Amino acid sequence: MSSLVRFLFSLAAAIAAASLLAASLRRRVQPPHLPDQLNPGPMAARNRSFVLWLHGLGDSGPANEPIRTFFSAPEFRLTKWAFPSAPNAPVSCNHGAVMPSWFDIHELPMSPGSPQDESGVLKAVENVHAMIDREVAAGIHPDNIFVCGFSQGGALTLASVLLYPKTLGGGAVFSGWVPFGSSVIERVSAEARKTPIMWSHGMADKVVQFEAGQAGPPFLQSAGMSCEFKAYPDLGHSIAREELASLEGWIKGRLKASEDKQS
């Protein structure tokens, strides 16, 4: 088989894998309907909290929007949701194929020792911070802002929360990894260290190895931050309903604590 044929075969396989992952995510979180109370409308000015969801490699923001229908508790009635899409860019692990990507990924499966695109991560972090800053300027308290993400979006979530200068409501990492070295720790502000982190990872994950997820809590501990880590024994590289239910309760508790503190 020629090198060109091998390249085209690998490229097709990589693109197919990304499509299957996106389809798997949509199947797991497909809801029966979208409650009217969660649709943006004239009441947007009254938003009291903000949830930013960052998707994984090769996916899109709109494909992940059904996730918000799992958050139907009264505490989310005045929550604004955002599901941005990553820009299209060549991805090294997929032989330079262009696809939605927050930053470059050099290799998959992701392991604790995989090389990282730190400069690309930091550039993506700036864009996430700009989204957060807009909501703060619109009147939403930082304590009521939550950044969540899956896979590559989970890695970006971690980076964005660590490097934001203020304490946020929380950061939730699903099947993510630490996307930079320990030298970044010195850039984490005292306020950012107070932001709680929730980390969920499937033990059967073959794309982002479970060991890559396990490396998160020790990294955060070295930065002086707390992390609630949950392992899911039979879960691969996907999101389960149980994880979203756990996230709903986790955010609800922090919204209540924030309300009590601000009252």
Side-chain angles (χ1 to χ4, degrees):
M1 183 183 293
S2 69
S3 59
L4 176 59
V5 172
R6 285 197 299 270
F7 167 75
L8 292 175
F9 180 80
S10 298
L11 176 60
I15 294 175
S19 299
L20 286 173
L21 174 58
S24 173
L25 176 60
R26 287 193 291 273
R27 283 197 302 272
R28 283 182 175 269
V29 301
Q30 188 65 37
H33 70 285
L34 180 63
D36 292 338
Q37 68 183 30
L38 295 177
N39 285 320
M43 299 295 288
R46 290 183 53 197
N47 289 325
R48 292 294 178 266
S49 58
F50 176 61
V51 177
L52 175 62
W53 186 277
L54 304 173
H55 65 74
L57 177 65
D59 207 349
S60 72
N64 285 260
E65 288 186 8
I67 287 172
R68 64 181 177 176
T69 62
F70 286 86
F71 298 77
S72 56
E75 289 85 353
F76 295 94
R77 186 171 59 87
L78 297 177
T79 296
K80 177 179 179 180
W81 293 77
F83 295 85
S85 293
N88 290 320
V91 179
S92 296
C93 69
N94 286 339
H95 305 284
V98 175
M99 60 183 62
S101 180
W102 300 109
F103 51 85
D104 196 16
I105 296 179
H106 296 292
E107 67 177 27
L108 287 177
M110 183 67 63
S111 69
S114 293
Q116 302 296 331
D117 174 26
E118 292 196 16
S119 61
V121 171
L122 295 177
K123 181 178 179 181
V125 164
E126 291 179 0
N127 293 330
V128 174
H129 286 180
M131 298 180 212
I132 296 173
D133 289 341
R134 282 196 293 270
E135 301 308 321
V136 173
I140 296 180
H141 196 282
D143 283 353
N144 295 334
I145 293 178
F146 300 84
V147 185
C148 313
F150 172 74
S151 191
Q152 187 190 41
L156 180 55
T157 291
L158 180 68
S160 300
V161 169
L162 261 63
L163 297 175
Y164 195 70
K166 300 176 182 178
T167 304
L168 297 175
V173 179
F174 295 90
S175 304
W177 67 90
V178 180
F180 37 44
S182 58
S183 62
V184 172
I185 291 178
E186 63 187 28
R187 299 179 53 181
V188 181
S189 71
E191 288 300 310
R193 295 175 198 270
K194 301 175 186 177
T195 300
I197 304 292
M198 171 185 170
W199 197 309
S200 300
H201 211 110
M203 296 179 69
D205 195 332
K206 303 301 182 184
V207 179
V208 178
Q209 296 176 354
F210 182 66
E211 292 76 11
Q214 281 184 307
F219 179 89
L220 290 167
Q221 186 176 16
S222 68
M225 300 180 69
S226 63
C227 177
E228 181 181 330
F229 187 88
K230 294 187 177 182
Y232 292 80
D234 300 317
L235 183 65
H237 196 62
S238 187
I239 294 182
R241 290 173 179 265
E242 293 82 0
E243 291 181 284
L244 294 178
S246 180
L247 177 62
E248 181 188 32
W250 189 76
I251 293 179
K252 280 171 56 178
R254 277 149 186 79
L255 287 175
K256 178 64 166 59
S258 174
E259 180 182 336
D260 292 343
K261 184 171 66 175
Q262 295 171 36
S263 61

